[in-house]
Amino acid sequence: MTIGDRQNPSVAVEKKKKKLFKLCPFWQRRSNTSSSTQNPSQNYRSRHGHRNTDVSPVSKPSSTISSVARSLLPARRRLRLDPSSYLYFPYEPGKQVRSAIKLKNTSKSHTAFKFQTTAPKSCYMRPPGGVLAPGESVFATVFKFVEHPENNEKQQLNQKSKVKFKIMSLKVKPGVEYVPELFDEQKDQVTVERVLRVIFLDAEGSSAAMEKLKRQLDEAEAAVEARKKPPPETGPRVVGEGLVIDEWKERREKYLARQQVEAIDSSS
């Protein structure tokens, strides 16, 4: 043993280990294999090029999930209809009969509405469409020509007809006027409020549906007459073109005219 080894016993121990490893090389191979067998799954993945599955997968954005869920939900309706499912008509073959429906905007925005029918040759609506402010309501009158039954068959009353009416709505900005092209330009934002079926009622009989129909027709006619009346005058009256008559000025002119007449009478 050298003098340096005596001074450093740890160095001497390391040298002895190296000599033993050289004499018995299988010890070194065993130590290497034992270290490699500590985690066989990791060695297998590294040899076969597998990626580490411990990494958490990338989560999809929540916006896609919300958009899919939104598409599955039913569209929120903007109008309340009365009646809500059917249009009732008095059954009078060979005549044009009427029905009425009330539409009310229950949303917080201006809403345009439009009627469509499967029988445009025999049915039409007044008005065919319009724009309602939040909380505003309107009565629409539906006209239909009732054809005679084929082969003299008797029409079964209080049953659904093949004719349908579809009512659509569209959110619009305040001040926008109704034109049918609005619904063609913004098809993606159009909501089908309801598809109404036609039911014929006995015109001579008495029923709750017939009484309600008559009441709604009277209200619709009153609303039409109210729209025809000119708005009440809130400002000064206008006579002719650009001539504004002030009541005080009119009274003053009359007073001056009377004064002149009295002056002439007194001088004579």
Side-chain angles (χ1 to χ4, degrees):
M1 184 180 292
T2 62
I3 299 173
D5 294 340
R6 292 175 182 175
Q7 294 176 352
N8 245 341
S10 60
V11 175
V13 173
E14 290 294 331
K15 286 183 178 181
K16 287 182 180 181
K17 286 184 178 180
K18 288 180 180 180
K19 288 179 181 181
L20 290 174
F21 277 120
K22 288 179 181 179
L23 294 174
C24 303
F26 67 93
W27 286 357
Q28 188 177 3
R29 289 198 300 269
R30 185 178 180 184
S31 63
N32 293 335
T33 55
S34 62
S35 63
S36 62
T37 56
Q38 288 178 358
N39 197 346
S41 61
Q42 292 180 355
N43 295 332
Y44 176 82
R45 290 170 190 153
S46 61
R47 286 199 305 272
H48 293 273
H50 288 270
R51 295 180 180 178
N52 190 3
T53 56
D54 294 337
V55 181
S56 59
V58 180
S59 60
K60 295 182 179 180
S62 59
S63 59
T64 58
I65 300 175
S66 61
S67 61
V68 172
R70 202 181 304 113
S71 62
L72 296 176
L73 292 174
R76 184 179 180 183
R77 290 178 177 143
R78 305 181 181 97
L79 302 176
R80 186 170 64 203
L81 311 179
D82 185 22
S84 60
S85 302
Y86 304 102
L87 275 178
Y88 298 95
F89 289 90
Y91 182 66
E92 299 179 18
K95 295 182 180 181
Q96 181 175 270
V97 294
R98 298 178 302 157
S99 181
I101 183 171
K102 183 179 181 180
L103 296 85
K104 184 176 182 179
N105 182 8
T106 57
S107 67
K108 297 180 181 180
S109 60
H110 285 66
T111 300
F113 67 91
K114 180 182 178 181
F115 281 92
Q116 282 186 348
T117 178
T118 57
K121 294 183 178 180
S122 61
C123 303
Y124 67 94
M125 291 69 64
R126 289 290 181 272
V131 177
L132 297 175
E136 186 180 3
S137 59
V138 65
F139 274 98
T141 306
V142 186
F143 299 84
K144 175 175 174 52
F145 180 79
V146 182
E147 299 178 355
H148 290 279
E150 297 180 358
N151 300 327
N152 294 326
E153 294 180 356
K154 188 176 180 180
Q155 173 69 33
Q156 294 182 354
L157 302 179
N158 298 324
Q159 289 193 5
K160 299 176 184 178
S161 173
K162 295 181 180 180
V163 181
K164 299 178 183 179
F165 291 87
K166 182 166 66 176
I167 302 178
M168 301 176 293
S169 68
L170 175 66
K171 180 181 177 181
V172 296
K173 295 181 180 180
V176 173
E177 295 183 359
Y178 168 78
V179 289
E181 291 75 16
L182 281 174
F183 290 80
D184 297 331
E185 296 171 356
Q186 306 180 38
K187 290 183 179 180
D188 298 338
Q189 302 179 12
V190 173
T191 300
V192 177
E193 294 287 337
R194 186 75 71 176
V195 177
L196 306 175
R197 300 291 297 267
V198 171
I199 291 184
F200 288 108
L201 301 174
D202 187 3
E204 298 179 356
S206 60
S207 62
M210 194 65 192
E211 294 298 327
K212 182 178 180 179
L213 174 60
K214 292 179 180 179
R215 185 171 63 254
Q216 285 190 326
L217 287 173
D218 293 340
E219 293 178 357
E221 290 181 359
V224 171
E225 293 298 327
R227 287 197 297 266
K228 290 181 180 179
K229 293 181 179 180
E233 298 179 357
T234 56
R237 292 182 295 115
V238 179
V239 179
E241 184 176 357
L243 179 60
V244 180
I245 299 178
D246 186 25
E247 294 182 1
W248 179 83
K249 184 178 180 181
E250 186 178 2
R251 289 197 301 267
R252 180 177 175 79
E253 289 176 353
K254 289 180 180 179
Y255 174 76
L256 294 176
R258 286 197 302 270
Q259 292 292 331
Q260 291 178 358
V261 171
E262 292 176 358
I264 294 173
D265 293 340
S266 61
S267 61
S268 62

